[in-house]
Amino acid sequence: MYLPQNPGQGRSEPALLTHREPDYEDNYVDNDDYGPDEDPLTDAESKRLRRKKIWRRVRRTAYVGTALMIILPVLAFFITYQMVEVESPEQVANQQDKVVTLNWADGSEMAKLAKSGGNRIMLTYDQIPKHVLHAVYAAEDATFETNSGFDLGGIARAAWNNVTGGGGGGSTISQQYIKKASGDDDATLTRKWVEVVKSYKMNETFDKPEIITAYLNTIYFGRGAYGIAAAGKAYYGVDDLNLLSKSQAALLAGMIQTPSRHKEAAYQMGRWEYVTGRMVANGWMTETERAQQPFVPPVPLADTKGEGLPGPLTELPTLVYAELKDRGITEEAIKRNGYKITLTIDKTAQDLAEKAVSEVMTGQPANLHPGLVAVDPKKGHIIAYYPSANGIGTDWAAEPQEPGSSFKPFDLVGLLKKGKGLYETYDSSNRKIPPTAKQEVKNASKPGCGECTVAQAMKESLNVVFTDMVYKDVKVNGVIDAAKQAGVRSPLDAASSDLNIAIGGGRTQVSTVDMASAYATFAAGGIYRMPRLVSKVENPNGSIILDETTQAVYQEKNAFDENPDTNSKIARNVTEALLPVPQYSHIECASGRQCAGKTGTHQYGETQHNSKAWMVGYTPQISAAVSLSGDSNELRLIDAKGKIIYGGGLPGKIWQKFMNSYHQTNKLKQENFGKFVPIGKVESKPPATATAPPTTTTQPSNSTPPTTTTEKPTKTTDPDPTTTSRTRPTRPSVTTEPIIPLPGNGG
């Protein structure tokens, strides 16, 4: 149809409707209901028509957008599908578990951790029992046998977590295999996209039995075990998976989620409960079977093959992996890439530490377990680490234990932060603190010295003075804050309402690493440096994966006060109080070298014996902590001569031997701690020189300290008798009875 360009005038060349550009400013409309002779549109009608046209464009745009949203992903999926390849299990196995190299601090080789893959057995599908398969399905992907390789709901959850900063994904077993095969575990949507496409292609290329077999031959289970066959051997000592019960299979399957936690008994139990629950829910295990097959703990690590380090350092790789996990580097990544890891452990220091322990402990009862940790105050490097004689079982360097009087320096830090110092005086006479307490607090080493200065009380380790100090001035939370600021990382929440913390008893538990690190802060003039075992991680080609100098968490900081002068003054005042203790306890450093430190003991129940004994001390060049514990066979600390062990006894002798040999072997010059400027009151007379007790009380070097230098095991009382610090015979490091400060919590 043609319309005239000017109605009412002569006809001109007609214009096609389809070619005519409408003029939205006139009354033109494309509705046949309106002709050229109609009345002009009203404003309302014009607006309505404009809105109609706008919405028409919106609809068309939406149609195009929707089409693109469908077509583009399909096209991208098709292109990605053609480009990706799915690695075979043999290829994946060859990429995993490369040799990891550990180096000493000087860069020389400590050990090569052999590939566990050398013992890997590539099973066939018919060699994997059904109950093992069902356990894995229950733990990781209950719909494995029916899904197409990916879970849309899981992908949606993963995308949401990626956007919101959450964790976790929605990986099926096929997707997990692809992730392990590629070695790419980045939390990105790009990685997830490729993983989904590969997973789909895998399910199109291989059948389900082939996929699950590939997965179980390559997945990591912890304990150095890659593959289900190696896991059966590592956890339960079986070579034939048919010998595994459903309960045991449930634990193995449960460990797939976070294999780095293979040493955590609570985690093992939690995963076992989850997997067996899912097996019951899916009909793969009955409630009766679950009740008849309770949780079976794995065989001790001592019964499994180590990773190439003998003696005390056998479990060092586990500690290294745990530290690097905190820095974002997983154990799987370490082994998959064959990283070269430079440690902070100094070979000379480690040898001297092992030698000191060996020489002092030779001939001593087998129930006595020393732990030793040495830290470089100027770097935060752990330069020596002694967890136990064979390195297997309880790690006594990391085990939380009651520190006794070695915790008293943190009381002093709290006092110094309040502007009071070494020459404040407190009544040292035995009495109830607070007055409403049921029993008295008593000093362990001697009756007291009347109105004693804090300095004198530290040297003589007077329980009453420190309990009174914390009760009146510092408060329990003040001690906790001071300990954390110095470097104690063990949880102290359990002691938050326990006045026993004043003398390191009750619910107060810290590790040997904690104490070596915290005292290193004193040695460094109040500068805290996080203790660490790893200084550098490299690829085999030399490229740097981690360098401690670039890690913000390792940056030094003022521990006790933002003002550098105040901070260093607090640390120097603590050192001043601790300088007399080594000589007073007959474990002074050789050649007049300045050493500061504190002994500590924790009493065994209501007996005269101790269950813990400590010596922690330092020079400007090194801080070392030595703990001594009994075990479940015999908690009491009794030496080979049948004598009670105190902090100045076996732990003190180990500390003294190590400190002297370390300084002498390295030919370290004698350094002092700088000028002492007292905080608070000034001493009215010149500070007395610390001297050893009279020779009439001196004991042989391998005997217990004289009564003038250590606390006697007479009973003391607690200001807050709600719990007790008595050591229970069945639990060497956990106390659950009401806490009462005991005399053994002394020096």
Side-chain angles (χ1 to χ4, degrees), residues 308-367:
L309 284 169
L313 294 181
T314 297
E315 280 297 296
L316 184 63
T318 301
L319 300 174
V320 171
Y321 297 152
E323 181 174 309
L324 288 177
K325 181 183 177 184
D326 290 340
R327 304 283 80 81
I329 303 175
T330 66
E331 180 180 346
E332 292 177 74
I334 294 169
K335 292 184 173 182
R336 182 177 62 243
N337 295 293
Y339 287 153
K340 182 170 64 175
I341 304 171
T342 301
L343 305 180
T344 61
I345 301 290
D346 178 79
K347 188 177 189 308
T348 299
Q350 183 66 29
D351 289 344
L352 294 174
E354 294 180 21
K355 182 179 179 181
V357 173
S358 176
E359 290 181 356
V360 173
M361 296 304 295
T362 296
Q364 295 296 334
N367 73 297

Side-chain angles (χ1 to χ4, degrees), residues 295-603:
F295 174 74
V296 181
V299 298
L301 280 170
D303 297 342
T304 62
K305 184 178 179 181
E307 287 206 78
L309 284 169
L313 294 181
T314 297
E315 280 297 296
L316 184 63
T318 301
L319 300 174
V320 171
Y321 297 152
E323 181 174 309
L324 288 177
K325 181 183 177 184
D326 290 340
R327 304 283 80 81
I329 303 175
T330 66
E331 180 180 346
E332 292 177 74
I334 294 169
K335 292 184 173 182
R336 182 177 62 243
N337 295 293
Y339 287 153
K340 182 170 64 175
I341 304 171
T342 301
L343 305 180
T344 61
I345 301 290
D346 178 79
K347 188 177 189 308
T348 299
Q350 183 66 29
D351 289 344
L352 294 174
E354 294 180 21
K355 182 179 179 181
V357 173
S358 176
E359 290 181 356
V360 173
M361 296 304 295
T362 296
Q364 295 296 334
N367 73 297
L368 302 179
H369 301 285
L372 185 154
V373 177
V375 173
D376 181 345
K378 299 175 182 178
K379 296 181 179 179
H381 289 176
I382 297 175
I383 62 174
Y385 193 91
Y386 185 96
S388 64
N390 60 9
I392 293 177
T394 300
D395 181 343
W396 296 104
E399 181 77 3
Q401 306 172 62
E402 297 85 354
S405 288
S406 64
F407 210 71
K408 287 175 180 174
F410 307 123
D411 302 351
L412 178 55
V413 170
L415 187 70
L416 292 165
K417 292 181 70 174
K418 291 184 174 296
K420 299 182 178 182
L422 275 59
Y423 306 116
E424 294 291 328
T425 58
Y426 291 86
D427 181 4
S428 64
S429 60
N430 298 340
R431 65 189 186 281
K432 295 180 180 181
I433 304 175
T436 56
K438 294 181 180 179
Q439 294 176 304
E440 290 184 335
V441 180
K442 295 181 180 179
N443 296 310
S445 61
K446 58 190 297 184
C449 51
E451 284 288 324
C452 287
T453 64
V454 172
Q456 183 73 10
M458 183 70 80
K459 184 174 76 171
E460 298 182 10
S461 201
L462 301 178
N463 289 341
V464 177
V465 169
F466 285 92
T467 303
D468 195 29
M469 176 198 306
V470 173
Y471 175 66
K472 288 182 177 178
D473 296 320
V474 180
K475 310 303 179 184
V476 170
N477 286 333
V479 179
I480 292 175
D481 289 344
K484 289 181 177 179
Q485 290 166 352
V488 171
R489 294 187 291 176
S490 294
L492 294 172
D493 296 343
S496 61
S497 60
D498 181 9
L499 192 53
N500 278 286
I501 196 171
I503 55 176
R507 298 190 184 97
T508 308
Q509 293 187 331
V510 295
S511 71
T512 314
V513 175
D514 284 333
M515 297 301 279
S517 171
Y519 276 50
T521 301
F522 299 145
I527 302 299
Y528 171 70
R529 299 174 174 93
M530 180 182 286
R532 49 196 179 273
L533 286 166
V534 177
S535 63
K536 185 167 59 176
V537 179
E538 301 171 82
N539 262 314
N541 63 11
S543 61
I544 303 297
I545 303 300
L546 178 145
D547 188 323
E548 63 175 336
T549 60
T550 63
Q551 296 288 303
V553 70
Y554 291 146
Q555 298 304 307
E556 62 185 41
K557 63 180 180 181
N558 291 339
F560 309 119
D561 196 283
E562 293 182 358
N563 184 296
D565 292 336
T566 304
N567 181 64
S568 62
K569 189 181 292 186
I570 290 173
R572 182 61 182 85
N573 273 249
V574 173
T575 296
E576 188 70 15
L578 300 181
L579 280 171
V581 175
Q583 185 176 6
Y584 188 78
S585 300
H586 301 295
I587 49 175
E588 66 275 8
C589 290
S591 304
R593 184 184 296 271
Q594 273 198 344
C595 288
K598 188 72 187 77
T599 56
T601 56
H602 180 68
Q603 187 175 1

